[in-house]
Amino acid sequence: MMSQDPSLSVSDPKVLLAALLRQALMAVVPQYAHLPLTLERPKAASHGDWASNIALQFARQIKRNPRELAQELVREITPHPWVAKVEVAGPGFINFTLAPAAKNAVVPQVLARGVRYGAGESTGRRILVEFVSANPTGPLHVGHGRGAAYGAALSDVLAFAGHTVEREYYVNDAGRQMDILALSTWLRYLERFGIRVPFPSNAYQGRYVIDMAATIAERHGDRFARVRAEDVLAGTPGEPDPERTDPQAVEQRERHLDQLIANAKCLLGEDYAWIHEFALAEQLGDCRDDLAEFGVRFDRWFSEKSLYDTGMVERAVETLKQRGYLYEQDGAWWFRSTDFGDDKDRVVRRENGSYTYFASDIAYHWNKYERGYDLMIDIWGADHHGYIPRVRAAIQALGLDPEKFEVALVQFAVLYRNGEKVSMSTRAGEFVTLRQLRAEVGNDACRFFYVLRKCDQHLDFDLDLAKKQSNENPVYYVQYAHARICSVLREWGGAMEDLREADASLLTSEPALALCVRLQAFPEVVQAAAAERAPHHIAFYLKDLAADFHAWYNVERILVEEEPLRLARLALAAAVKTVLATGLGLLGVSAPESM
RNA sequence: GCGCCCGUAGCUCAGGGGAUAGAGCGUUGGCCUCCGAAGCCAAAGGUCGCAGGUUCGAUUCCUGCCGGGCGCGCCA
């Protein structure tokens, strides 16, 4: 692992310093030389480029005065051309100041590795990321958009960090919600033929349902309309007063809807399945197209229905029963999730014999485990947080390792226009769709804004800011830096290959070296973003990188007369361009050559 | 009531057991004979919600409170 002679073949200053410190520890306190080392970038420039607090952290257990220990360690640190200064500061920090050569050495490294600069070595870990997984019962809205942007960016960051990542969308194609969609479509279709059944308040209100009904009518005429309104309504309790929100009224509305569904199935026979499938295909196709246009792709669309078809759901429930985690009460089968810390036990099989959503979800997660991943990350809306304990409980009850299961909760996104909240009501069908948002602000701004916050933070999405094509908009700020570099490279007109030979040691100004240090930090940022499941680190890094570039650009001319210096500066600019493009790519944002 | 998330500059937010707490926007003042001014530089702006605790050291960790958001179905 650690080189015996750190002066040889070290390309990363941090690795070098760690080795030097380790050697010093061996010399001073050999019995504690195994202690974990900490090296961090100090906030204040006067504290050097890297600082270690080991003397402070271990002074007590070594029973030494921290400053003295630090001084002794410093004396034992082997001189190295990359290290300009080592000093003890404050209560016992060891501050390292690097020589310019330790910083500008990053430029040829970036150019050599190109788009792979910053990529971690393959870990061999297989990670499954499941995200979006919205019911295909209507268009994706802005909340789904955030989950999509976060999941896609996280997946890409994990993959870039060295893991083997699969992206999956769980399609809820088997439940009651799909029946409600099929019913809604059919009722809208009947309306076209003058068969007036009052449209239930809890059915899908959206315009897209009417559109689907029109499509069916165009293709099949009145094939599904040979019924009478009274037959459709037969046996329904009717809808209570729309004003009523008491439990009885809510319950009656649901019964009303369920009876309509039952009647539809009965009246349509085989044709019901046709409408059901048509609606599913339409909505899923729409969703898929929407996400593809958004730059979000999946390796697998996993059907909930397939879990029933292959008997997985039944098998999962039976297994839990055999293991003694189920009991019968009120005609339903309950899972003892409280045995594993859940607030209450949960129904897996209803009184009427049908399985709950939870049952198929148990089967789904079991299936994921059987596929042998090292880690499974589910990305859910924050409103599902109460669901975590029961899924984890089921995993444990099946004898699976809960450590391999992780949930990232994504908080809501609230849109603001003209400084005011854009109101959204799912009930009235007045929600802003992801499509509308993308059309209004563009894919790049959407993707960037969505991942600008950590996922557990509420997101205020300022539409006006996202649309602005100016310096106020962070997306353009970063993209502008990229375009600006492309412009300079065009102006120069040479070949990238020539830049690999450039003498980066000529880069010695403070702004140029600061930029080099920023480039050096990129691999660390990638690793941190992956480990913390926090792609927003990439976004913030890109803003910092762009800022450092603009600052340098404004004080030093790149296309100077002297050939070696010109090539050195071009090489630095090209390295920045490479990392900007890589980082933007991880977030699904384009890196324009001009704008 | 219980659970989860959040309280950091006027606004939106990073950060996080250490040394003087950061960025963008907004405000104010500068910088284009010069590679893209969609840029840069500078100024101003803070009791890191409140109170205890742990620690050599807390804005960071723990507890309690206050404030905001979201959940708590034989829905998915």
Side-chain angles (χ1 to χ4, degrees), chain A residues 416-463:
Chain A
Y416 285 83
R417 180 181 275 120
N418 304 322
E420 285 180 15
K421 215 172 184 170
V422 178
S423 68
M424 275 179 279
S425 154
T426 316
R427 199 179 140 275
E430 298 166 359
F431 47 83
V432 178
T433 65
L434 175 58
R435 262 213 176 76
Q436 289 165 341
L437 181 69
R438 292 195 295 108
E440 184 167 345
V441 308
N443 282 326
D444 284 345
C446 274
R447 290 288 301 258
F448 199 83
F449 272 65
Y450 269 136
V451 297
L452 217 39
R453 304 279 168 261
K454 39 184 176 182
C455 67
D456 52 13
Q457 185 91 32
H458 294 169
L459 172 68
D460 287 334
F461 196 122
D462 185 336
L463 291 167

Side-chain angles (χ1 to χ4, degrees), chain A residues 154-233:
Chain A
L154 176 62
S155 299
D156 287 357
V157 166
L158 288 169
F160 194 65
H163 308 294
T164 301
V165 178
E166 287 177 35
R167 300 150 182 85
E168 186 160 304
Y169 187 119
Y170 182 54
V171 183
N172 296 122
D173 51 4
R176 178 167 175 264
Q177 295 306 318
M178 276 310 303
D179 280 325
I180 296 173
L181 179 71
L183 173 75
S184 305
T185 308
W186 187 50
L187 293 181
R188 290 301 193 199
Y189 166 88
L190 292 181
E191 283 175 4
R192 299 180 66 85
F193 294 93
I195 300 164
R196 299 209 51 90
V197 176
F199 199 78
S201 58
N202 46 356
Y204 288 104
Q205 307 287 332
R207 162 88 215 173
Y208 61 93
V209 179
I210 295 169
D211 294 340
M212 284 196 294
T215 305
I216 296 173
E218 273 167 36
R219 294 191 199 162
H220 297 272
D222 69 346
R223 173 179 157 191
F224 309 112
R226 290 156 199 162
V227 293
R228 295 180 310 166
E230 2 357 337
D231 293 331
V232 177
L233 284 161

Side-chain angles (χ1 to χ4, degrees), chain A residues 99-111:
Chain A
K103 299 177 181 176
N104 53 36
V106 75
V107 171
Q109 288 170 18
V110 174
L111 295 182

